[in-house]
Amino acid sequence: MKALSPNRLPQPFARYAHGVEIPAGFRMVQTSGQLGIRMDGTIPEDAYEQAKVCFENIQDILKEAGMNTGDVAHISAYVTDRAHMADSMRARDEFVGSTERLPSSTLIIVSGFTREEFKVEVEVLAAAK
């Protein structure tokens, strides 16, 4: 995959690319939106911990497909309040870590999720040979 960040665009706000090109012949995995709920049913109270759980769940899905964080082409994150944006972005940046090619990313503020205690939801598109 190739990161696309044209010089005529402003720099991204954080660790992401403006776009990602996925070559022909790659397998693709699209996750469902992951909420910050642990296997034991507990839900962290703060947005950062919820986002970390979302990304841990996504790592498990990617592993099931024989993929890893470096195969992520796009991240879509949704938060219920502007105040949760920084925490979601911090968890996203930790998730991509030192990945050489950064994914594209979208962060949207929404009015809510299926249960009031959820503050963050994340989904990814990944691709690998």
Side-chain angles (χ1 to χ4, degrees):
M1 289 185 279
K2 177 182 171 186
L4 305 171
S5 291
N7 290 333
R8 68 178 196 274
L9 297 179
Q11 290 295 310
F13 292 120
R15 290 186 39 79
Y16 63 88
H18 283 298
V20 173
E21 178 182 346
I22 302 170
F26 271 49
R27 295 181 304 115
M28 295 177 59
V29 169
Q30 171 69 56
T31 69
S32 294
Q34 298 299 303
L35 293 162
I37 186 166
R38 295 183 180 112
M39 186 65 171
D40 66 3
T42 60
I43 300 165
E45 286 190 33
D46 69 69
Y48 171 69
E49 291 298 325
Q50 284 191 23
K52 280 180 50 175
V53 171
C54 293
F55 285 112
E56 289 166 1
N57 292 345
I58 288 167
Q59 283 178 321
D60 287 342
I61 295 166
L62 294 175
K63 185 177 179 181
E64 180 93 0
M67 295 183 184
N68 60 50
T69 305
D71 298 315
V72 173
H74 183 78
I75 300 170
S76 294
Y78 309 90
V79 296
T80 57
D81 192 291
R82 190 174 306 279
H84 304 318
M85 288 174 59
D87 286 337
S88 176
M89 290 169 66
R90 180 166 57 121
R92 183 207 55 222
D93 289 351
E94 290 172 3
F95 172 73
V96 298
S98 60
T99 302
E100 190 172 314
R101 185 226 12 101
L102 294 173
S104 58
S105 182
T106 300
L107 178 58
I108 300 171
I109 300 167
V110 298
S111 62
F113 300 114
T114 53
R115 290 175 31 193
E116 190 174 326
E117 60 265 41
F118 291 123
K119 297 176 171 103
V120 179
E121 184 170 341
V122 181
E123 64 185 27
V124 305
L125 172 66
K129 289 186 177 186

